[in-house]
């Protein structure tokens, strides 16, 4: 079938104007990439975590390939409902990576004595821009059916609320870590004590990166408590309490209009059925109506996933030696992965809370956090510690992810990113689709590389 351009024609024509406007609201940085969270007061090349750029670049590369069709492979398609595929990994990993970078940004601003009002102005501005760009990508040709939520909207909302926790929720004071990392100069366990002013302080130790921020962890945990209460206690009309199934003809048609239970109900109450995603993964198999995989309830679990990422960023800021960082990344990865596996009982369908990307279920975000820690640990070892790999080609993409995401969404239906499948007359359908998707994705890799070598970086 020839790819239709009608749905994106208006967006393509408007692209030069959008590009000009976008340049007016973003800042260009000739040294760092689009995520300024890695800013430091000392030399950028020394302090920038290259493995984080590579991890982000891996996510954008897989996301582009998946959105272009994934070569027709089933594991590069999103799970219909419960379960996990490669395609389901990249979005939550992006949220996790955003969390990693946030404490680095706020630490840099704090060192420069930037007022809280200025920090929050920047946070709010960035969140609004992300939400607005997401609305544009939804291409609402009709106000009456314009989808409100989406991927960039989820980023904007999650960033805003996680920032509020970091900026306004207090932390325990901590003493400076000793210059040396020897065991004789630091305690293995945290030892709370009081300073001369009578304030509670924490001496450096094994759990310093967690205990100092215990109040913030408690506040962040309210998001999953609210998610649990709404999901399992809200009595949804016609669906009852705690339904997590796909609805439609699933469960013998007993929950025909109940896709996701409370998740769908909350979105319909807030936005109405005309303003949520009308082509969900369940539509064909389960014959369902609209359901938004980036729905309102998912913001709650996204915030907690982002905050788990924040804890990894604080590991990088708190500990000096690679050994201290690596052991904590591994322990966190095992803990969160095991917790998610426990909730789903290691099963696709029979767990207490199944792994479900559409719902951003608790088991889903815990497993994503666990795997995120382990992937970041692996990249950190290879790129920043042993230096056996410089992160190419992923790091080229990771420093300009917002540009590549916007570009591939808008131009994805145009040559050379996409082209006619008429070649299927001469080449089998699957190889022709795979070739098309590989070429389209590779062009964006080339664009990312050229922007990197030209030091053209965009940050919001």
């Amino acid at each position: 079938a020839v790819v239709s351009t009608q749905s994106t024609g208006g967006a393509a024509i408007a692209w030069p104007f959008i590009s000009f406007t976008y340049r007016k609201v973003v800042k260009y940085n000739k040294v760092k990439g689009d995520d300024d969270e890695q800013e430091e007061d000392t030399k950028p090349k020394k302090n920038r975590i290259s493995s984080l750029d590579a991890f982000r670049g891996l996510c954008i590369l897989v996301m582009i390939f998946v959105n272009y069709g994934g070569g027709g492979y089933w594991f590069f398609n999103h799970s219909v409902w419960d379960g996990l595929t490669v395609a389901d990994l990249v979005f939550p990993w992006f949220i996790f990576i955003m969390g990693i970078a946030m404490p680095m940004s706020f630490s840099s601003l704090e060192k420069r004595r930037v007022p809280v009002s200025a920090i929050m102005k920047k946070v709010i501005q960035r969140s609004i821009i992300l939400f607005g760009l997401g609305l544009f990508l939804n291409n609402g040709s009709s106000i009456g059916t314009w989808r409100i939520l989406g991927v960039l909207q989820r980023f904007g909302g999650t960033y805003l609320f996680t920032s509020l926790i970091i900026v306004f929720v207090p932390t325990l004071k901590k003493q400076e870590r000793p210059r040396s990392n020897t065991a004789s100069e630091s305690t293995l366990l945290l030892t709370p004590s009081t300073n001369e002013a009578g304030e509670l302080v924490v001496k450096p130790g094994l759990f310093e990166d967690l205990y100092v921020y215990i109040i913030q962890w408690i506040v962040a945990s309210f998001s999953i408590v609210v998610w649990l209460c709404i999901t399992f206690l809200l009595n949804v009309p016609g669906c009852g309490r705690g339904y997590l199934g796909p609805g439609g003809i699933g469960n013998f048609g007993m929950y025909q209009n109940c896709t996701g239970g409370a998740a769908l109900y909350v979105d319909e109450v807030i936005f109405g059925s005309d303003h949520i995603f009308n082509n969900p993964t369940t539509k064909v198999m389960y014959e369902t109506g609209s359901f938004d995989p980036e729905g309102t309830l998912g913001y709650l679990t996204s915030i907690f996933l982002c905050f788990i990422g924040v804890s990894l960023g604080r590991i990088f800021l708190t500990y000096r030696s690679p050994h201290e960082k690596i052991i904590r990344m591994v322990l966190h990865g095992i803990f969160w992965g095991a917790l998610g596996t426990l909730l789903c009982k290691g099963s696709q369908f029979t767990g207490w809370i199944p792994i479900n990307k559409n719902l951003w279920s608790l088991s889903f975000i815990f497993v994503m956090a666990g795997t995120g820690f382990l992937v970041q640990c692996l990249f950190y070892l290879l790129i920043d510690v042993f230096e056996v790999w410089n992160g190419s080609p992923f790091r080229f993409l990771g420093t300009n992810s917002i540009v590549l995401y916007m570009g591939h969404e808008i131009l994805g239906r145009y040559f050379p990113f996409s082209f006619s499948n008429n070649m299927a007359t001469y080449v089998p359908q699957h190889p022709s689709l795979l070739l098309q998707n590989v070429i389209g994705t590779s062009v964006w890799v080339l664009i990312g590389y050229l922007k990197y070598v030209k030091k053209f970086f965009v940050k919001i």
Side-chain angles (χ1 to χ4, degrees):
V2 178
V3 176
S4 173
T5 61
Q6 293 180 354
S7 61
T8 58
I13 294 173
W15 175 242
F17 171 77
I18 298 298
S19 179
F20 173 81
T21 305
Y22 183 65
R23 292 182 185 184
K24 294 299 182 181
V25 298
V26 301
K27 299 177 181 177
Y28 292 87
N29 190 315
K30 296 298 184 180
V31 178
K32 308 179 185 68
D34 67 325
D35 284 292
D36 61 306
E37 284 89 345
Q38 291 198 54
E39 291 177 0
E40 293 287 344
D41 295 333
T42 54
K43 296 179 181 180
K45 290 184 179 179
K46 180 179 179 181
N47 290 283
R48 188 171 183 89
I49 304 172
S50 298
S51 56
L52 185 57
D53 290 330
F55 190 8
R56 187 186 297 112
L58 169 65
C59 291
I60 190 66
L61 178 70
V62 176
M63 181 177 286
I64 292 173
F65 185 67
V66 166
N67 288 347
Y68 280 178
Y73 293 103
W74 68 267
F75 49 85
F76 281 119
N77 284 317
H78 291 292
S79 301
V80 175
W81 194 246
D82 295 332
L84 195 64
T85 66
V86 175
D88 297 327
L89 303 177
V90 288
F91 186 13
W93 274 353
F94 256 121
I95 294 288
F96 180 75
I97 292 169
M98 179 172 70
I100 299 173
M102 289 175 71
M104 303 176 191
S105 174
F106 289 115
S107 175
S108 176
L109 296 172
E110 182 180 329
K111 289 178 181 178
R112 298 204 305 265
R113 300 186 183 279
V114 177
V116 172
S117 59
I119 294 175
M120 288 312 302
K121 179 181 178 181
K122 178 181 179 181
V123 167
I124 294 172
Q125 175 182 322
R126 190 177 197 190
S127 300
I128 291 175
I129 292 174
L130 285 170
F131 202 95
L133 290 175
L135 284 175
F136 167 73
L137 289 181
N138 283 349
N139 196 20
S141 56
S142 170
I143 297 297
T145 57
W146 198 326
R147 183 190 176 198
I148 303 299
L149 301 176
V151 172
L152 292 182
Q153 294 92 316
R154 175 69 67 85
F155 276 114
T158 302
Y159 179 74
L160 174 61
F161 285 99
T162 307
S163 297
L164 291 173
I165 295 174
I166 296 174
V167 174
F168 291 109
V169 177
T171 63
L172 302 180
K173 295 183 179 295
K174 58 182 178 179
Q175 295 181 355
E176 291 296 323
R177 291 181 60 82
R179 293 281 180 186
S180 171
N181 291 303
T182 60
S184 60
E185 295 188 4
S186 64
T187 58
L188 282 179
L189 298 177
L190 277 170
T191 307
S193 59
T194 56
N195 59 16
E196 295 178 356
E199 298 171 315
L200 183 65
V201 298
V202 177
K203 295 180 180 179
L206 186 63
F207 302 117
E208 177 185 350
D209 57 300
L210 294 175
Y211 190 85
V212 169
Y213 306 100
I214 187 63
I215 302 176
Q216 293 189 357
W217 275 103
I218 293 172
V219 173
S221 298
F222 278 124
S223 65
I224 61 175
V225 171
V226 173
W227 184 88
L228 286 168
C229 289
I230 295 176
T231 300
F232 291 102
L233 300 181
L234 180 64
N235 190 8
V236 179
C239 306
R241 295 182 174 89
Y243 180 69
L244 299 176
I249 62 175
N251 303 107
F252 305 102
M254 295 174 58
Y255 303 95
Q256 183 70 37
N257 300 312
C258 300
T259 304
L264 174 63
Y265 178 70
V266 169
D267 285 340
E268 288 183 333
V269 169
I270 297 175
F271 303 108
S273 58
D274 291 335
H275 295 284
I276 60 179
F277 192 51
N278 61 11
N279 192 30
T281 56
T282 56
K283 186 172 184 178
V284 175
M285 178 176 289
Y286 292 102
E287 300 178 9
T288 65
S290 300
F291 178 83
D292 209 312
E294 283 78 54
T296 307
L297 282 189
Y299 279 75
L300 296 170
T301 46
S302 292
I303 291 168
F304 194 74
L305 175 60
C306 186
F307 192 78
I308 297 175
V310 168
S311 70
L312 177 47
R314 285 167 170 165
I315 288 174
F316 280 117
L317 290 176
T318 302
Y319 301 100
R320 291 191 177 94
S321 76
H323 175 267
E324 290 180 302
K325 298 171 185 176
I326 291 166
I327 191 64
R328 284 165 177 80
M329 282 189 272
V330 172
L331 290 175
H332 274 279
I334 294 173
F335 172 78
W336 292 112
L339 185 57
T341 303
L342 176 65
L343 288 177
C344 71
K345 295 183 179 180
S347 168
Q348 182 175 1
F349 301 112
T350 60
W352 294 299
I353 303 180
I355 293 177
N356 190 301
K357 191 262 181 186
N358 282 283
L359 297 174
W360 283 65
S361 63
L362 273 190
S363 56
F364 174 71
I365 67 159
F366 289 161
V367 169
M368 291 300 95
T371 54
F373 270 103
L374 297 179
V375 172
Q376 178 58 47
C377 181
L378 176 63
F379 277 33
Y380 178 67
L381 279 170
L382 296 176
I383 299 171
D384 295 310
V385 179
F386 298 134
E387 298 182 348
V388 296
W389 174 41
N390 65 2
S392 301
F394 302 141
R395 63 190 178 98
F396 305 140
L397 311 180
T399 53
N400 256 320
S401 56
I402 187 66
V403 173
L404 299 180
Y405 180 79
M406 291 289 296
H408 102 276
E409 284 281 352
I410 295 171
L411 302 176
R413 292 181 179 270
Y414 294 88
F415 184 85
F417 311 108
S418 178
F419 42 86
S420 170
N421 276 338
N422 286 341
M423 68 171 68
T425 304
Y426 312 100
V427 182
Q429 179 68 31
H430 175 70
S432 66
L433 178 62
L434 177 61
L435 178 63
Q436 174 180 320
N437 297 158
V438 168
I439 291 175
T441 304
S442 299
V443 173
W444 285 113
V445 173
L446 177 60
I447 292 173
Y449 171 74
L450 293 175
K451 287 182 178 295
Y452 184 87
V453 297
K454 294 292 184 180
K455 298 188 184 301
F456 181 90
F457 303 116
V458 179
K459 65 179 184 180
I460 297 176

